[in-house]
Amino acid sequence: MSKIVDIPACVDCKNKNSVFCSIPNDEKEILGDKKLNNLYKKGEIIFQEGGASHGLFCIYSGKVKLTKLGQDGKDQVVRFSNTGDILGYRSLLNNEAYQATAIALEDSFICQLSKDNFINSIKENASLSLEIIQLLSSNLKNAEKQLVNIAQNTAKERIIASILLLQEVFGFKEDGKSLDIILTRSEIADIAGTTPETAIRTLKKLSSKKIIELKGKTIIIPNLTALASVSGF
């Protein structure tokens, strides 16, 4: 179960990449009225696919994956979210059930904003509306790209694309080489749309060729450009 914790009010939030940075402080105060502040432990579900949408979630700090249940009964990773990102907005706008399950990849501090306050903020602020439209457009583009990757690219290319995606979303640790996210081989396989065995075999081959380095579950990328060039991404 999530735990209620102390998180600054929306008007005092320091996340520079939040979509709410564009709105005035008085609107931030209205948006954050009655917000809930929760700590979700690693592996804890934030909201469930098929569940009724009851609020907007904003990641104050932490990492989250969104998964959908496939026809084969397996969860497919469809997106990752990081500090400053918002979750559940499409379901709120469409007044529909959540289309994916959100799971904390690490202990994450997450704000839950009122559905009504969020909808009213969009109605009142054109710049916020544009930010949300751009988010929806970006998600659609990425979903289309993912479908093409699964349909046309080899397992090796999809795994490299997955590693590049993780780097783009979460970046590097302080050493500038280690991905700032820890995933199991099964989770990497889920992203790439392949089997854990294929993921393990491919990662070992990439490591043997010095394209990546493996240190436990940590993936190290000595040269990002070299990794991208292997598959032409």
Side-chain angles (χ1 to χ4, degrees):
M1 295 289 290
S2 62
K3 177 183 177 183
I4 297 175
V5 291
D6 262 341
I7 296 177
C10 291
V11 70
D12 297 319
C13 185
K14 303 301 181 185
N15 283 330
K16 306 260 186 224
N17 59 335
S18 170
V19 295
F20 302 123
C21 289
S22 63
I23 66 176
N25 282 344
D26 58 339
E27 291 185 30
K28 288 181 184 176
E29 289 180 354
I30 295 172
L31 178 69
D33 183 41
K34 299 179 182 178
K35 83 178 175 81
L36 302 175
N37 305 325
N38 296 309
L39 166 63
Y40 291 87
K41 303 294 286 184
K42 180 179 179 179
E44 192 171 355
I45 292 176
I46 300 159
F47 56 78
Q48 185 86 42
E49 181 179 359
S53 58
H54 49 272
L56 181 81
F57 296 85
C58 184
I59 305 175
Y60 178 72
S61 67
K63 299 177 177 67
V64 174
K65 69 176 178 180
L66 288 99
T67 67
K68 282 184 70 70
L69 192 63
Q71 293 182 347
D72 57 1
K74 295 181 179 179
D75 284 330
Q76 173 69 50
V77 177
V78 294
R79 197 167 80 249
F80 290 100
S81 294
N82 206 354
T83 297
D85 290 340
I86 59 174
L87 309 168
Y89 52 91
R90 193 180 76 177
S91 296
L92 292 186
L93 294 173
N94 291 340
N95 197 27
E96 62 183 12
Y98 290 118
Q99 299 300 296
T101 297
I103 304 170
L105 285 169
E106 63 182 26
D107 292 356
S108 300
F109 294 90
I110 297 179
C111 304
Q112 182 180 339
L113 307 178
S114 158
K115 175 179 179 178
D116 291 339
N117 289 353
F118 173 61
I119 297 298
N120 288 336
S121 293
I122 289 176
K123 290 178 180 178
E124 296 295 327
N125 193 287
S127 61
L128 178 58
S129 297
L130 180 60
E131 291 267 15
I132 298 300
I133 290 170
Q134 289 173 337
L135 271 178
L136 291 168
S137 175
S138 176
N139 288 343
L140 178 60
K141 180 181 73 174
N142 290 335
E144 291 172 344
K145 187 188 299 183
Q146 189 175 27
L147 286 174
V148 171
N149 284 343
I150 291 174
Q152 297 183 0
N153 294 332
T154 65
K156 175 185 172 182
E157 290 169 335
R158 297 200 303 272
I159 287 171
I160 293 174
S162 300
I163 295 172
L164 294 171
L165 171 65
L166 292 171
Q167 191 283 324
E168 181 180 351
V169 175
F170 299 117
F172 290 121
K173 294 181 180 179
E174 291 182 359
D175 63 7
K177 298 186 297 182
S178 303
L179 289 183
D180 193 18
I181 180 67
I182 301 294
L183 295 176
T184 66
R185 301 301 185 249
S186 292
E187 287 174 319
I188 293 173
D190 286 341
I191 306 166
T194 188
T195 65
E197 293 77 17
T198 299
I200 292 169
R201 186 166 57 250
T202 303
L203 290 172
K204 284 183 177 178
K205 285 183 179 178
L206 292 172
S207 177
S208 68
K209 294 180 179 179
K210 309 298 183 184
I211 298 171
I212 63 171
E213 298 172 15
L214 301 175
K215 190 174 182 181
K217 292 180 182 177
T218 299
I219 296 177
I220 300 167
I221 306 174
N223 188 318
L224 188 61
T225 302
L227 175 64
S229 67
V230 172
S231 290
F233 291 101

